[in-house]
Amino acid sequence: MLSKLISFIPRDWLVYLYKNMPFNGLKNWIVYRAQHKFLVAVLGVITNEKGQVLLFKHEYRKQPWGIPGGWMELEKPEDGLEREINEETGLKVQITGLARALYGDRPNRVELIFTGRITDGTFKPSSEISEIYYCDIDKWPDGLPIKQRILIKEILIGDSGKLEEGANIL
């Protein structure tokens, strides 16, 4: 609501008000309330010592197989992905880098896709993840979305598929 009202104020006026408003707490509250919101998803193309890709069988998806991921809490993105994987499976991973950042809609979100490797742990099924599978590229299980297949190949071997802008990976 506040963001719609503020959109009618000329940008130069908003900059002037921001620069000259004396109360930082109030200023930050207004800025926060005036901005559009979105979620941040953290996902991982995680490999084992053989270079095989870790996939999860999600209990709540129509296409059940997929790369590990979840929603970030108030934490560093890398910590969020490590936490999600550990909570859902008991596995420990080390994040090695940020591979890609994408925008998705339904819901509006930023998807941060990391690379990483398994470091420790034994798989324990959870209410969200019933199985894990380590697969070689192009030996995908049935039920792995095409967009995730393309993403994995692009990240691991540089194969540029047809991952279009706004592709919902999660």
Side-chain angles (χ1 to χ4, degrees):
M1 177 71 170
L2 187 57
S3 62
K4 289 189 187 268
L5 292 173
I6 289 178
S7 69
F8 292 112
I9 300 172
R11 192 164 217 33
D12 292 345
W13 292 9
L14 291 172
V15 171
Y16 176 81
L17 288 170
Y18 185 82
K19 284 173 46 178
N20 294 296
M21 185 177 281
F23 305 108
N24 279 335
L26 177 61
K27 179 169 43 177
N28 291 337
W29 183 86
I30 291 170
V31 168
Y32 178 79
R33 296 291 181 273
Q35 298 301 310
H36 297 284
K37 307 295 185 278
F38 54 89
L39 297 167
V40 178
V42 287
L43 301 112
V45 176
I46 308 296
T47 55
N48 64 10
E49 66 281 349
K50 297 176 187 173
Q52 296 169 309
V53 179
L54 173 64
L55 299 176
F56 288 175
K57 186 172 186 184
H58 298 89
E59 287 299 305
Y60 52 88
R61 294 184 183 168
K62 290 180 183 173
Q63 291 184 294
W65 288 100
I67 59 176
W71 300 113
M72 241 180 71
E73 295 177 7
L74 299 176
E75 60 201 337
K76 285 177 41 182
E78 297 90 334
D79 294 344
L81 181 57
E82 290 173 356
R83 175 189 50 74
E84 281 285 337
I85 292 171
N86 186 258
E87 284 176 0
E88 294 175 353
T89 66
L91 299 174
K92 297 209 184 278
V93 299
Q94 178 184 17
I95 303 306
T96 56
L98 176 65
R100 177 96 31 97
L102 300 169
Y103 172 78
D105 55 13
R106 287 176 257 139
N108 289 330
R109 65 182 176 271
V110 171
E111 297 173 337
L112 301 175
I113 298 100
F114 292 91
T115 55
R117 60 183 181 83
I118 299 291
T119 58
D120 196 19
T122 302
F123 172 67
K124 296 175 200 123
S126 68
S127 60
E128 294 181 63
I129 308 300
S130 61
E131 295 177 46
I132 62 170
Y133 178 63
Y134 292 100
C135 75
D136 294 312
I137 291 178
D138 286 333
K139 294 186 179 168
W140 314 117
D142 290 336
L144 177 66
I146 296 211
K147 290 177 182 176
Q148 288 194 21
R149 296 174 191 203
I150 293 169
L151 178 74
I152 293 166
K153 286 176 74 171
E154 285 181 354
I155 289 172
L156 292 182
I157 61 176
D159 182 17
S160 61
K162 297 179 177 83
L163 191 63
E164 67 273 1
E165 193 66 30
N168 292 317
I169 301 303
L170 213 118

Short mmCIF file of all heavy atoms in Angstrom, two decimals, residues 72-104:
data_model
loop_
_atom_site.label_atom_id
_atom_site.label_comp_id
_atom_site.label_asym_id
_atom_site.label_seq_id
_atom_site.Cartn_x
_atom_site.Cartn_y
_atom_site.Cartn_z
N MET A 72 15.89 -18.99 2.16
CA MET A 72 16.83 -18.39 3.09
C MET A 72 16.10 -17.82 4.28
O MET A 72 15.00 -17.30 4.16
CB MET A 72 17.57 -17.24 2.39
CG MET A 72 19.04 -17.44 2.30
SD MET A 72 19.83 -16.06 1.48
CE MET A 72 19.65 -14.78 2.70
N GLU A 73 16.75 -17.91 5.43
CA GLU A 73 16.27 -17.21 6.61
C GLU A 73 17.18 -16.00 6.77
O GLU A 73 17.83 -15.60 5.81
CB GLU A 73 16.29 -18.17 7.80
CG GLU A 73 15.29 -19.32 7.60
CD GLU A 73 15.30 -20.35 8.71
OE1 GLU A 73 15.99 -20.14 9.73
OE2 GLU A 73 14.61 -21.37 8.55
N LEU A 74 17.24 -15.41 7.92
CA LEU A 74 18.10 -14.23 8.12
C LEU A 74 19.52 -14.71 8.36
O LEU A 74 19.99 -14.81 9.50
CB LEU A 74 17.59 -13.38 9.28
CG LEU A 74 16.18 -12.82 9.09
CD1 LEU A 74 15.72 -12.08 10.33
CD2 LEU A 74 16.12 -11.94 7.86
N GLU A 75 20.23 -15.04 7.26
CA GLU A 75 21.54 -15.66 7.32
C GLU A 75 22.27 -15.41 6.01
O GLU A 75 21.67 -14.97 5.04
CB GLU A 75 21.39 -17.17 7.55
CG GLU A 75 20.61 -17.84 6.43
CD GLU A 75 20.00 -19.19 6.82
OE1 GLU A 75 20.49 -19.83 7.76
OE2 GLU A 75 19.02 -19.58 6.17
N LYS A 76 23.54 -15.73 5.98
CA LYS A 76 24.29 -15.67 4.73
C LYS A 76 23.73 -16.74 3.80
O LYS A 76 23.39 -17.84 4.24
CB LYS A 76 25.77 -15.93 4.98
CG LYS A 76 26.51 -14.79 5.61
CD LYS A 76 27.97 -15.11 5.92
CE LYS A 76 28.67 -15.88 4.84
NZ LYS A 76 30.06 -16.22 5.17
N PRO A 77 23.67 -16.46 2.50
CA PRO A 77 23.12 -17.46 1.58
C PRO A 77 23.81 -18.81 1.65
O PRO A 77 23.15 -19.85 1.66
CB PRO A 77 23.31 -16.80 0.21
CG PRO A 77 23.33 -15.34 0.48
CD PRO A 77 23.98 -15.19 1.82
N GLU A 78 25.13 -18.83 1.73
CA GLU A 78 25.86 -20.09 1.80
C GLU A 78 25.47 -20.88 3.04
O GLU A 78 25.28 -22.10 2.99
CB GLU A 78 27.38 -19.85 1.81
CG GLU A 78 27.92 -19.20 0.57
CD GLU A 78 27.93 -17.67 0.65
OE1 GLU A 78 27.13 -17.06 1.40
OE2 GLU A 78 28.74 -17.06 -0.06
N ASP A 79 25.33 -20.17 4.17
CA ASP A 79 24.92 -20.82 5.41
C ASP A 79 23.50 -21.37 5.29
O ASP A 79 23.20 -22.43 5.82
CB ASP A 79 24.99 -19.83 6.58
CG ASP A 79 26.41 -19.38 6.91
OD1 ASP A 79 27.37 -20.03 6.45
OD2 ASP A 79 26.55 -18.37 7.62
N GLY A 80 22.65 -20.63 4.58
CA GLY A 80 21.27 -21.08 4.39
C GLY A 80 21.19 -22.39 3.61
O GLY A 80 20.43 -23.30 3.97
N LEU A 81 21.99 -22.50 2.56
CA LEU A 81 21.98 -23.73 1.77
C LEU A 81 22.56 -24.89 2.57
O LEU A 81 22.00 -25.99 2.58
CB LEU A 81 22.75 -23.54 0.46
CG LEU A 81 22.78 -24.75 -0.46
CD1 LEU A 81 21.38 -25.23 -0.82
CD2 LEU A 81 23.57 -24.43 -1.72
N GLU A 82 23.66 -24.65 3.26
CA GLU A 82 24.24 -25.70 4.10
C GLU A 82 23.24 -26.16 5.15
O GLU A 82 23.08 -27.37 5.40
CB GLU A 82 25.53 -25.22 4.76
CG GLU A 82 26.67 -25.04 3.78
CD GLU A 82 27.91 -24.40 4.39
OE1 GLU A 82 27.88 -24.01 5.59
OE2 GLU A 82 28.92 -24.28 3.67
N ARG A 83 22.54 -25.22 5.78
CA ARG A 83 21.54 -25.55 6.80
C ARG A 83 20.40 -26.37 6.21
O ARG A 83 20.00 -27.39 6.76
CB ARG A 83 20.98 -24.26 7.43
CG ARG A 83 19.84 -24.51 8.42
CD ARG A 83 19.16 -23.21 8.85
NE ARG A 83 18.77 -22.34 7.76
CZ ARG A 83 17.73 -22.56 6.94
NH1 ARG A 83 16.97 -23.64 7.07
NH2 ARG A 83 17.44 -21.70 5.98
N GLU A 84 19.86 -25.92 5.07
CA GLU A 84 18.75 -26.63 4.43
C GLU A 84 19.11 -28.07 4.13
O GLU A 84 18.35 -28.99 4.42
CB GLU A 84 18.32 -25.92 3.14
CG GLU A 84 17.47 -24.71 3.33
CD GLU A 84 16.03 -25.03 3.72
OE1 GLU A 84 15.54 -26.15 3.43
OE2 GLU A 84 15.39 -24.16 4.32
N ILE A 85 20.28 -28.28 3.54
CA ILE A 85 20.70 -29.64 3.18
C ILE A 85 20.86 -30.50 4.43
O ILE A 85 20.39 -31.64 4.48
CB ILE A 85 21.99 -29.60 2.34
CG1 ILE A 85 21.70 -28.97 0.97
CG2 ILE A 85 22.59 -31.00 2.19
CD1 ILE A 85 22.92 -28.67 0.13
N ASN A 86 21.48 -29.93 5.46
CA ASN A 86 21.68 -30.69 6.69
C ASN A 86 20.35 -31.00 7.38
O ASN A 86 20.14 -32.13 7.84
CB ASN A 86 22.63 -29.94 7.63
CG ASN A 86 22.97 -30.77 8.83
OD1 ASN A 86 22.43 -30.56 9.91
ND2 ASN A 86 23.86 -31.74 8.65
N GLU A 87 19.46 -30.02 7.46
CA GLU A 87 18.16 -30.25 8.11
C GLU A 87 17.34 -31.32 7.40
O GLU A 87 16.68 -32.13 8.03
CB GLU A 87 17.34 -28.96 8.14
CG GLU A 87 17.77 -27.94 9.15
CD GLU A 87 16.97 -26.65 9.06
OE1 GLU A 87 16.05 -26.52 8.22
OE2 GLU A 87 17.27 -25.75 9.87
N GLU A 88 17.39 -31.30 6.06
CA GLU A 88 16.54 -32.21 5.29
C GLU A 88 17.12 -33.60 5.12
O GLU A 88 16.38 -34.55 4.85
CB GLU A 88 16.25 -31.60 3.92
CG GLU A 88 15.41 -30.34 3.99
CD GLU A 88 15.22 -29.64 2.66
OE1 GLU A 88 15.86 -30.06 1.65
OE2 GLU A 88 14.45 -28.67 2.61
N THR A 89 18.46 -33.75 5.25
CA THR A 89 19.07 -35.04 4.93
C THR A 89 20.11 -35.54 5.92
O THR A 89 20.48 -36.70 5.87
CB THR A 89 19.77 -34.98 3.56
OG1 THR A 89 20.88 -34.08 3.65
CG2 THR A 89 18.82 -34.57 2.46
N GLY A 90 20.65 -34.69 6.77
CA GLY A 90 21.73 -35.07 7.65
C GLY A 90 23.10 -34.97 7.01
O GLY A 90 24.12 -35.23 7.64
N LEU A 91 23.15 -34.59 5.73
CA LEU A 91 24.43 -34.45 5.02
C LEU A 91 25.05 -33.10 5.28
O LEU A 91 24.36 -32.10 5.45
CB LEU A 91 24.23 -34.63 3.51
CG LEU A 91 23.67 -35.98 3.06
CD1 LEU A 91 23.38 -35.95 1.57
CD2 LEU A 91 24.65 -37.09 3.40
N LYS A 92 26.37 -33.08 5.30
CA LYS A 92 27.09 -31.82 5.44
C LYS A 92 27.77 -31.52 4.11
O LYS A 92 28.30 -32.42 3.46
CB LYS A 92 28.13 -31.91 6.55
CG LYS A 92 27.50 -32.14 7.91
CD LYS A 92 28.35 -31.56 9.00
CE LYS A 92 27.79 -31.87 10.35
NZ LYS A 92 26.74 -31.00 10.78
N VAL A 93 27.71 -30.25 3.71
CA VAL A 93 28.30 -29.84 2.45
C VAL A 93 29.18 -28.62 2.67
O VAL A 93 29.02 -27.91 3.66
CB VAL A 93 27.23 -29.51 1.37
CG1 VAL A 93 26.39 -30.72 1.06
CG2 VAL A 93 26.36 -28.34 1.79
N GLN A 94 30.08 -28.41 1.74
CA GLN A 94 30.89 -27.19 1.71
C GLN A 94 30.53 -26.46 0.42
O GLN A 94 30.62 -27.04 -0.67
CB GLN A 94 32.37 -27.51 1.73
CG GLN A 94 33.23 -26.27 1.65
CD GLN A 94 34.72 -26.60 1.56
OE1 GLN A 94 35.10 -27.72 1.25
NE2 GLN A 94 35.54 -25.61 1.84
N ILE A 95 30.11 -25.23 0.56
CA ILE A 95 29.78 -24.42 -0.61
C ILE A 95 31.09 -23.88 -1.18
O ILE A 95 31.91 -23.32 -0.46
CB ILE A 95 28.82 -23.27 -0.23
CG1 ILE A 95 27.55 -23.82 0.41
CG2 ILE A 95 28.51 -22.40 -1.44
CD1 ILE A 95 26.81 -24.86 -0.39
N THR A 96 31.27 -24.04 -2.50
CA THR A 96 32.52 -23.63 -3.14
C THR A 96 32.40 -22.37 -3.98
O THR A 96 33.41 -21.79 -4.34
CB THR A 96 33.08 -24.78 -4.00
OG1 THR A 96 32.10 -25.17 -4.96
CG2 THR A 96 33.46 -25.97 -3.13
N GLY A 97 31.18 -21.95 -4.31
CA GLY A 97 31.05 -20.73 -5.09
C GLY A 97 29.62 -20.46 -5.51
O GLY A 97 28.77 -21.33 -5.48
N LEU A 98 29.40 -19.22 -5.91
CA LEU A 98 28.12 -18.81 -6.47
C LEU A 98 28.20 -19.00 -7.98
O LEU A 98 29.06 -18.42 -8.64
CB LEU A 98 27.81 -17.36 -6.13
CG LEU A 98 26.53 -16.78 -6.73
CD1 LEU A 98 25.30 -17.48 -6.17
CD2 LEU A 98 26.45 -15.27 -6.46
N ALA A 99 27.31 -19.82 -8.51
CA ALA A 99 27.35 -20.12 -9.94
C ALA A 99 26.42 -19.23 -10.75
O ALA A 99 26.71 -18.88 -11.89
CB ALA A 99 26.98 -21.59 -10.18
N ARG A 100 25.30 -18.84 -10.17
CA ARG A 100 24.30 -18.11 -10.95
C ARG A 100 23.30 -17.46 -10.01
O ARG A 100 23.02 -17.98 -8.94
CB ARG A 100 23.59 -19.12 -11.85
CG ARG A 100 22.49 -18.67 -12.70
CD ARG A 100 22.81 -18.34 -14.14
NE ARG A 100 23.85 -19.03 -14.82
CZ ARG A 100 23.70 -20.08 -15.63
NH1 ARG A 100 22.53 -20.62 -15.81
NH2 ARG A 100 24.73 -20.59 -16.26
N ALA A 101 22.77 -16.35 -10.43
CA ALA A 101 21.65 -15.70 -9.74
C ALA A 101 20.56 -15.48 -10.78
O ALA A 101 20.83 -14.94 -11.86
CB ALA A 101 22.08 -14.38 -9.12
N LEU A 102 19.36 -15.94 -10.47
CA LEU A 102 18.23 -15.84 -11.40
C LEU A 102 17.06 -15.19 -10.70
O LEU A 102 16.95 -15.24 -9.48
CB LEU A 102 17.81 -17.23 -11.90
CG LEU A 102 18.84 -18.06 -12.63
CD1 LEU A 102 18.35 -19.48 -12.81
CD2 LEU A 102 19.16 -17.43 -13.98
N TYR A 103 16.17 -14.63 -11.48
CA TYR A 103 14.92 -14.11 -10.95
C TYR A 103 13.81 -15.06 -11.37
O TYR A 103 13.76 -15.51 -12.51
CB TYR A 103 14.64 -12.70 -11.51
CG TYR A 103 13.26 -12.22 -11.13
CD1 TYR A 103 13.01 -11.74 -9.85
CD2 TYR A 103 12.20 -12.29 -12.02
CE1 TYR A 103 11.75 -11.33 -9.49
CE2 TYR A 103 10.94 -11.88 -11.66
CZ TYR A 103 10.71 -11.40 -10.39
OH TYR A 103 9.46 -11.00 -10.02
N GLY A 104 12.94 -15.39 -10.45
CA GLY A 104 11.79 -16.23 -10.75
C GLY A 104 10.52 -15.56 -10.25
O GLY A 104 10.56 -14.68 -9.38
#
